[in-house]
Amino acid sequence: MIAALQGRAAQALIGLALLVGLLLAAWLVLDRLDTMIERAEKAAIEKRDAHWTAEIERGNAEANRRIADQAKAALAIETDANARIRAVENQLASLETANAALPHGDACGLGRDRVRLLPH
């Protein structure tokens, strides 16, 4: 009878050892699976962040290009305006010089020579 109990106790211990071994193996598998999921999640987040970082950089580059284009256009407009102003100032200076060179500078009104100086 004791031998039978010892045989059953030995079988129970073997069964318990197998159960503990299976549970340990299951825990290791689940731990490994959890690690794989965390790595995949981290990789997906990094990929998404890289995508949006690239999009932001593209947008910034486009905005900087437009700002540069506008600055070039403004500089061209300013250069043209300054050239026109200089031309008008030169024209006015030559008109004043021509007017001062005419005789009868103290005469009142416009004479024929002064009228000819006016642009048509």
Side-chain angles (χ1 to χ4, degrees), residues 87-115:
V88 169
E89 287 174 345
N90 290 339
Q91 184 181 12
L92 178 62
S94 66
L95 186 60
E96 287 176 350
T97 302
N99 184 45
L102 292 175
H104 310 295
D106 58 351
C108 184
L110 289 176
R112 186 181 78 199
D113 292 333
R114 284 189 169 74
V115 171

Side-chain angles (χ1 to χ4, degrees), residues 4-24:
L5 285 176
Q6 286 178 345
R8 287 183 187 243
Q11 288 177 352
L13 284 176
I14 292 173
L16 188 58
L18 286 175
L19 180 62
V20 169
L22 286 174
L23 289 175
L24 182 61

Side-chain angles (χ1 to χ4, degrees), residues 62-80:
E62 177 66 20
N64 289 338
R65 186 191 58 78
R66 288 182 182 180
I67 289 170
D69 289 347
Q70 287 177 347
K72 287 178 189 176
L75 184 60
I77 291 169
E78 183 180 4
T79 302
D80 183 53

